[in-house]
Protein backbone atom coordinates (compact mmCIF):
# COMPACT_ATOMS: atom_id res chain seq x y z
CA UNK A 1 0.00 0.00 0.00
CA UNK A 2 1.32 3.41 -1.00
CA UNK A 3 0.30 6.52 0.97
CA UNK A 4 -1.27 9.12 -1.29
CA UNK A 5 -3.10 12.43 -1.16
CA UNK A 6 -5.37 13.62 -3.99
CA UNK A 7 -7.13 17.01 -4.05
CA UNK A 8 -9.59 18.80 -6.33
CA UNK A 9 -10.42 22.46 -6.66
CA UNK A 10 -13.87 22.01 -8.14
CA UNK A 11 -15.35 20.90 -11.44
CA UNK A 12 -16.82 23.29 -13.95
CA UNK A 13 -15.80 26.17 -16.12
CA UNK A 14 -12.41 27.66 -15.20
CA UNK A 15 -11.68 30.85 -17.18
CA UNK A 16 -8.26 30.84 -18.87
CA UNK A 17 -7.03 33.76 -16.80
CA UNK A 18 -7.68 31.75 -13.61
CA UNK A 19 -6.25 28.40 -14.73
CA UNK A 20 -2.74 29.14 -13.42
CA UNK A 21 -4.16 30.18 -10.05
CA UNK A 22 -6.15 26.95 -9.88
CA UNK A 23 -3.21 24.74 -10.79
CA UNK A 24 -0.81 26.37 -8.36
CA UNK A 25 -3.47 26.23 -5.64
CA UNK A 26 -4.15 22.52 -5.91
CA UNK A 27 -0.45 21.63 -6.13
CA UNK A 28 0.31 23.69 -2.99
CA UNK A 29 -2.58 22.03 -1.16
CA UNK A 30 -1.57 18.50 -2.10
CA UNK A 31 2.01 19.20 -1.01
CA UNK A 32 0.71 20.37 2.37
CA UNK A 33 -1.41 17.25 2.79
CA UNK A 34 1.40 14.94 1.70
CA UNK A 35 3.80 16.60 4.14
CA UNK A 36 1.41 15.62 6.92
CA UNK A 37 1.49 11.98 5.79
CA UNK A 38 5.30 12.02 5.53
CA UNK A 39 5.44 13.39 9.06
CA UNK A 40 3.49 10.40 10.33
CA UNK A 41 0.08 12.05 10.37
CA UNK A 42 -3.13 10.22 9.66
CA UNK A 43 -5.13 10.36 6.43
CA UNK A 44 -7.71 12.49 8.29
CA UNK A 45 -5.01 14.97 9.34
CA UNK A 46 -3.81 15.10 5.73
CA UNK A 47 -7.18 15.76 4.10
CA UNK A 48 -8.11 18.44 6.64
CA UNK A 49 -4.75 20.15 6.09
CA UNK A 50 -5.12 20.08 2.30
CA UNK A 51 -8.68 21.39 2.35
CA UNK A 52 -7.78 24.11 4.86
CA UNK A 53 -5.16 25.27 2.34
CA UNK A 54 -7.78 25.39 -0.40
CA UNK A 55 -10.30 27.20 1.84
CA UNK A 56 -7.72 29.86 2.60
CA UNK A 57 -6.96 30.35 -1.11
CA UNK A 58 -9.36 32.95 -2.63
CA UNK A 59 -9.07 31.26 -6.04
CA UNK A 60 -11.45 28.51 -4.92
CA UNK A 61 -15.13 28.32 -4.03
CA UNK A 62 -14.82 27.43 -0.34
CA UNK A 63 -13.93 29.46 2.72
CA UNK A 64 -12.41 32.71 1.42
CA UNK A 65 -13.67 33.04 -2.16
CA UNK A 66 -16.97 31.22 -1.63
CA UNK A 67 -19.73 32.04 -4.11
CA UNK A 68 -22.53 34.19 -2.72
CA UNK A 69 -26.17 33.27 -2.21
CA UNK A 70 -28.96 35.28 -3.81
CA UNK A 71 -28.83 37.82 -0.98
CA UNK A 72 -25.09 38.32 -1.46
CA UNK A 73 -24.15 36.40 1.69
CA UNK A 74 -21.71 33.53 2.27
CA UNK A 75 -23.18 30.21 3.44
CA UNK A 76 -20.78 27.26 3.48
CA UNK A 77 -21.01 23.48 3.81
CA UNK A 78 -18.26 21.00 4.76
CA UNK A 79 -17.86 17.28 5.44
CA UNK A 80 -15.19 14.89 6.71
CA UNK A 81 -15.17 11.10 7.03
CA UNK A 82 -12.60 8.54 8.08
CA UNK A 83 -12.70 4.96 6.88
CA UNK A 84 -11.58 3.02 9.95
CA UNK A 85 -14.69 3.64 12.10
CA UNK A 86 -16.93 5.36 9.52
CA UNK A 87 -16.72 8.42 11.78
CA UNK A 88 -17.94 11.57 10.08
CA UNK A 89 -18.84 15.17 10.75
CA UNK A 90 -20.48 17.93 8.73
CA UNK A 91 -21.69 21.50 8.90
CA UNK A 92 -24.12 23.23 6.58
CA UNK A 93 -25.14 26.82 5.92
CA UNK A 94 -22.44 28.14 8.26
CA UNK A 95 -21.39 31.78 8.21
CA UNK A 96 -18.47 33.79 9.57
CA UNK A 97 -16.12 30.80 9.87
CA UNK A 98 -12.80 30.85 8.02
CA UNK A 99 -12.38 27.08 7.87
CA UNK A 100 -15.63 25.10 7.88
CA UNK A 101 -13.68 21.88 7.29
CA UNK A 102 -12.07 22.21 10.73
CA UNK A 103 -15.50 22.80 12.25
CA UNK A 104 -16.79 19.66 10.52
CA UNK A 105 -13.92 17.70 12.06
CA UNK A 106 -14.85 19.07 15.49
CA UNK A 107 -18.42 17.85 14.93
CA UNK A 108 -16.96 14.39 14.27
CA UNK A 109 -14.52 14.46 17.19
CA UNK A 110 -16.55 16.26 19.88
CA UNK A 111 -20.23 15.41 19.34
CA UNK A 112 -22.38 12.32 18.86
CA UNK A 113 -24.00 13.93 15.81
CA UNK A 114 -23.12 13.83 12.12
CA UNK A 115 -24.22 17.29 11.00
CA UNK A 116 -24.87 20.68 12.57
CA UNK A 117 -26.46 23.47 10.60
CA UNK A 118 -26.72 27.27 10.46
CA UNK A 119 -27.15 28.97 13.87
CA UNK A 120 -26.60 25.69 15.76
CA UNK A 121 -23.30 25.19 13.98
CA UNK A 122 -22.31 28.75 14.85
CA UNK A 123 -23.14 28.19 18.53
CA UNK A 124 -21.11 24.97 18.50
CA UNK A 125 -18.19 26.83 16.92
CA UNK A 126 -18.34 29.42 19.71
CA UNK A 127 -18.40 26.70 22.36
CA UNK A 128 -15.28 25.15 20.77
CA UNK A 129 -13.46 28.46 20.73
CA UNK A 130 -13.46 28.75 16.94
CA UNK A 131 -13.00 32.43 16.10
CA UNK A 132 -15.68 34.24 14.09
CA UNK A 133 -14.53 36.27 11.11
CA UNK A 134 -16.31 39.13 9.35
CA UNK A 135 -18.25 38.01 6.29
CA UNK A 136 -16.38 40.59 4.22
CA UNK A 137 -13.14 38.69 4.81
CA UNK A 138 -14.59 35.70 2.93
CA UNK A 139 -15.87 37.70 -0.07
CA UNK A 140 -13.67 38.44 -3.08
CA UNK A 141 -14.19 40.94 -5.91
CA UNK A 142 -14.50 37.97 -8.27
CA UNK A 143 -17.32 36.36 -6.27
CA UNK A 144 -19.13 39.70 -5.99
CA UNK A 145 -18.83 40.23 -9.76
CA UNK A 146 -20.29 36.78 -10.47
CA UNK A 147 -23.12 37.39 -8.00
CA UNK A 148 -24.07 40.67 -9.69
CA UNK A 149 -23.91 39.05 -13.15
CA UNK A 150 -26.22 36.25 -12.05
CA UNK A 151 -28.85 38.57 -10.61
CA UNK A 152 -29.96 39.30 -14.20
CA UNK A 153 -33.40 37.80 -14.96
CA UNK A 154 -32.08 35.66 -17.84
CA UNK A 155 -29.03 34.37 -15.94
CA UNK A 156 -28.41 30.63 -15.47
CA UNK A 157 -26.20 30.33 -12.38
CA UNK A 158 -25.76 26.54 -12.64
CA UNK A 159 -24.66 26.76 -16.28
CA UNK A 160 -22.43 29.74 -15.45
CA UNK A 161 -20.65 27.73 -12.75
CA UNK A 162 -20.67 24.24 -14.29
CA UNK A 163 -20.62 25.00 -18.03
CA UNK A 164 -23.02 23.71 -20.67
CA UNK A 165 -23.93 20.04 -20.89
CA UNK A 166 -22.26 18.48 -23.96
CA UNK B 1 -16.06 23.18 -4.10
CA UNK B 2 -12.76 21.74 -2.93
CA UNK B 3 -11.90 18.32 -1.59
CA UNK B 4 -9.24 15.81 -0.65
CA UNK B 5 -8.88 12.06 -0.19
CA UNK B 6 -5.92 10.24 1.32
CA UNK B 7 -4.50 6.88 2.36
CA UNK B 8 -1.97 6.82 5.21
CA UNK B 9 0.78 4.35 6.06
CA UNK B 10 -1.67 2.31 8.15
CA UNK B 11 -3.98 1.87 5.17
CA UNK B 12 -6.63 4.15 6.63
CA UNK B 13 -8.59 6.22 4.11
CA UNK B 14 -10.27 9.59 4.67
CA UNK B 15 -12.07 12.28 2.73
CA UNK B 16 -12.87 15.97 3.20
CA UNK B 17 -15.04 18.29 1.09
CA UNK B 18 -15.84 22.00 1.55
CA UNK B 19 -17.88 24.44 -0.50
CA UNK B 20 -19.59 27.78 -0.81
CA UNK B 21 -22.28 26.05 -2.86
CA UNK B 22 -23.77 27.08 -6.18
CA UNK B 23 -23.83 30.65 -7.52
CA UNK B 24 -26.76 32.78 -6.31
CA UNK B 25 -28.35 29.85 -4.46
CA UNK B 26 -31.45 30.37 -2.35
CA UNK B 27 -30.78 31.25 1.26
CA UNK B 28 -30.74 28.02 3.28
CA UNK B 29 -29.95 25.77 0.30
CA UNK B 30 -27.87 22.78 1.36
CA UNK B 31 -26.08 20.90 -1.41
CA UNK B 32 -24.41 17.53 -1.63
CA UNK B 33 -21.24 18.39 0.29
CA UNK B 34 -22.43 17.80 3.89
CA UNK B 35 -24.68 14.85 2.94
CA UNK B 36 -23.01 11.55 3.78
CA UNK B 37 -22.46 9.43 0.67
CA UNK B 38 -23.02 12.38 -1.67
CA UNK B 39 -20.22 14.91 -1.14
CA UNK B 40 -17.93 12.19 0.14
CA UNK B 41 -17.58 8.81 1.75
CA UNK B 42 -14.72 6.84 3.31
CA UNK B 43 -14.60 3.15 4.20
CA UNK B 44 -11.39 1.23 4.84
CA UNK B 45 -12.97 -1.84 3.24
CA UNK B 46 -13.33 -0.10 -0.13
CA UNK B 47 -11.85 3.40 -0.42
CA UNK B 48 -12.67 7.09 -0.22
CA UNK B 49 -14.27 9.62 -2.56
CA UNK B 50 -14.74 13.40 -2.61
CA UNK B 51 -17.13 14.87 -5.19
CA UNK B 52 -17.74 18.23 -6.85
CA UNK B 53 -20.24 19.50 -9.38
CA UNK B 54 -23.98 19.98 -9.69
CA UNK B 55 -25.02 19.22 -6.13
CA UNK B 56 -28.65 18.39 -6.75
CA UNK B 57 -27.64 15.80 -9.37
CA UNK B 58 -24.92 14.39 -7.09
CA UNK B 59 -27.50 13.91 -4.34
CA UNK B 60 -29.96 12.16 -6.67
CA UNK B 61 -27.44 9.40 -7.44
CA UNK B 62 -25.64 9.46 -4.03
CA UNK B 63 -22.47 9.77 -6.07
CA UNK B 64 -19.67 9.00 -3.59
CA UNK B 65 -21.35 5.85 -2.25
CA UNK B 66 -22.35 4.85 -5.78
CA UNK B 67 -18.69 4.88 -6.84
CA UNK B 68 -17.61 2.84 -3.82
CA UNK B 69 -20.38 0.34 -4.59
CA UNK B 70 -18.93 -0.06 -8.09
CA UNK B 71 -15.51 -0.70 -6.54
CA UNK B 72 -17.04 -3.31 -4.21
CA UNK B 73 -18.29 -5.03 -7.36
CA UNK B 74 -14.72 -5.26 -8.63
CA UNK B 75 -14.31 -2.10 -10.69
CA UNK B 76 -11.02 -0.18 -10.61
CA UNK B 77 -10.89 3.31 -9.09
CA UNK B 78 -10.90 4.82 -12.60
CA UNK B 79 -13.75 2.70 -13.97
CA UNK B 80 -15.89 3.12 -10.86
CA UNK B 81 -15.38 6.91 -10.96
CA UNK B 82 -16.36 7.04 -14.65
CA UNK B 83 -19.41 4.85 -14.06
CA UNK B 84 -20.57 7.12 -11.24
CA UNK B 85 -20.17 10.26 -13.34
CA UNK B 86 -21.92 8.63 -16.28
CA UNK B 87 -24.83 7.65 -14.06
CA UNK B 88 -25.08 11.25 -12.82
CA UNK B 89 -25.01 12.61 -16.36
CA UNK B 90 -27.60 10.30 -17.85
CA UNK B 91 -29.94 9.82 -14.87
CA UNK B 92 -29.81 13.28 -13.33
CA UNK B 93 -28.49 15.53 -16.13
CA UNK B 94 -25.60 16.70 -13.98
CA UNK B 95 -21.92 17.32 -14.56
CA UNK B 96 -19.17 17.01 -12.01
CA UNK B 97 -15.92 15.47 -10.91
CA UNK B 98 -14.53 13.08 -8.33
CA UNK B 99 -11.29 12.04 -6.70
CA UNK B 100 -11.10 8.44 -5.55
CA UNK B 101 -8.62 6.23 -3.69
CA UNK B 102 -8.61 2.62 -2.58
CA UNK B 103 -6.80 1.34 0.54
CA UNK B 104 -3.89 0.05 -1.59
CA UNK B 105 -3.14 3.59 -2.77
CA UNK B 106 -4.60 3.39 -6.28
CA UNK B 107 -6.14 6.75 -7.14
CA UNK B 108 -8.14 8.55 -9.82
CA UNK B 109 -9.20 12.11 -10.65
CA UNK B 110 -12.07 12.04 -13.18
CA UNK B 111 -14.63 14.58 -14.36
CA UNK B 112 -17.47 15.00 -16.86
CA UNK B 113 -17.28 18.79 -16.84
CA UNK B 114 -14.91 20.61 -19.19
CA UNK B 115 -12.35 21.18 -16.47
CA UNK B 116 -11.43 20.23 -12.93
CA UNK B 117 -8.28 21.38 -11.14
CA UNK B 118 -6.73 18.39 -9.37
CA UNK B 119 -3.40 17.25 -7.96
CA UNK B 120 -2.02 14.07 -6.41
CA UNK B 121 1.13 13.27 -4.44
CA UNK B 122 2.50 9.75 -4.07
CA UNK B 123 6.03 8.35 -3.71
CA UNK B 124 7.33 11.94 -3.61
CA UNK B 125 5.94 12.50 -7.12
CA UNK B 126 3.48 15.27 -7.94
CA UNK B 127 0.78 14.81 -10.57
CA UNK B 128 -1.69 17.50 -11.61
CA UNK B 129 -4.08 18.54 -14.33
CA UNK B 130 -6.92 20.77 -15.43
CA UNK B 131 -8.20 19.36 -18.73
CA UNK B 132 -9.26 15.85 -19.72
CA UNK B 133 -6.28 13.57 -20.32
CA UNK B 134 -3.81 15.57 -18.25
Amino acid sequence: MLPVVVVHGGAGHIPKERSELSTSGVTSAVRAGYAVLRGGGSSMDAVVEAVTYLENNPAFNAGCGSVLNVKGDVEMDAFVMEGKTLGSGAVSAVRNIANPIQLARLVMDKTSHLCLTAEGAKQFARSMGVPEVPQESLITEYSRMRWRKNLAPDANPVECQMGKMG
Amino acid sequence: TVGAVAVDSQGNVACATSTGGILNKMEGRVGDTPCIGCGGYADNMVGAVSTTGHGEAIMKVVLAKHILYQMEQGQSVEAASDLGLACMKFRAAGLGGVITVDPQGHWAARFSSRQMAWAAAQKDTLHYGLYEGE
Side-chain angles (χ1 to χ4, degrees):
Chain A
M1 166 265 307
L2 291 170
V4 62
V5 181
V6 190
V7 307
H8 69 74
H13 175 57
I14 302 168
K16 262 188 180 158
E17 65 273 17
R18 293 178 70 84
S19 60
E20 184 57 42
L21 279 175
S22 296
T23 301
S24 64
V26 290
T27 52
S28 297
V30 84
R31 281 194 186 102
Y34 195 64
V36 171
L37 285 189
R38 290 195 60 181
S42 69
S43 53
M44 176 55 65
D45 295 333
V47 294
V48 169
E49 178 72 7
V51 169
T52 297
Y53 250 73
L54 293 164
E55 287 178 336
N56 291 340
N57 186 332
F60 298 102
N61 168 29
C64 178
S66 287
V67 296
L68 308 182
N69 69 15
V70 73
K71 286 187 166 178
D73 294 328
V74 173
E75 288 183 319
M76 301 167 290
D77 306 331
F79 172 78
V80 296
M81 185 164 186
E82 57 92 12
K84 187 176 181 183
T85 66
L86 305 186
S88 72
V91 292
S92 64
V94 290
R95 299 171 182 233
N96 305 104
I97 300 290
N99 296 112
I101 201 68
Q102 294 179 11
L103 188 57
R105 184 171 186 177
L106 284 170
V107 171
M108 179 180 79
D109 289 343
K110 304 292 185 185
T111 81
S112 57
H113 303 304
L114 291 191
C115 184
L116 296 176
T117 194
E119 186 57 31
K122 186 182 262 190
Q123 286 174 23
F124 172 68
R126 279 189 195 132
S127 74
M128 290 287 109
V130 176
E132 286 182 37
V133 299
Q135 177 169 261
E136 285 303 310
S137 70
L138 303 174
I139 297 177
T140 62
E141 268 314 302
Y142 183 68
S143 63
R144 209 185 296 278
M145 178 274 289
R146 295 176 95 197
W147 170 70
R148 278 199 204 98
K149 187 176 163 188
N150 281 282
L151 287 174
D154 60 340
N156 184 337
V158 173
E159 195 172 284
C160 176
Q161 190 163 337
M162 288 305 305
K164 282 186 182 173
M165 180 80 77
Chain B
T1 306
V2 302
V5 291
V7 187
D8 62 26
S9 56
Q10 309 298 310
N12 295 314
V13 301
C15 70
T17 311
S18 181
T19 191
I22 199 88
L23 280 168
N24 295 48
K25 63 187 178 182
M26 289 176 68
E27 191 175 26
R29 179 263 192 186
V30 174
D32 61 295
T33 295
C35 298
I36 192 165
C38 300
Y41 201 83
D43 181 349
N44 275 9
M45 302 290 283
V46 195
V49 178
S50 170
T51 69
T52 170
H54 186 200
E56 280 70 10
I58 290 171
M59 285 190 276
K60 284 176 186 175
V61 300
V62 196
L63 182 59
K65 194 73 173 80
H66 183 97
I67 289 167
L68 292 179
Y69 173 75
Q70 298 293 337
M71 289 164 63
E72 279 182 310
Q73 301 304 304
Q75 298 288 347
S76 67
V77 289
E78 295 90 351
S81 301
D82 288 343
L83 284 166
L85 290 166
C87 175
M88 183 171 83
K89 185 171 182 178
F90 291 110
R91 296 298 307 280
L95 299 175
V98 300
I99 48 175
T100 308
V101 291
D102 70 16
Q104 288 72 46
H106 300 114
W107 61 273
R110 312 292 282 188
F111 49 99
S112 55
S113 54
R114 276 165 57 188
Q115 292 138 294
M116 180 178 81
W118 64 268
Q122 188 173 45
K123 283 202 297 184
D124 293 331
T125 304
L126 184 67
H127 311 261
Y128 60 92
L130 193 60
Y131 296 94
E132 193 181 344
E134 289 185 329

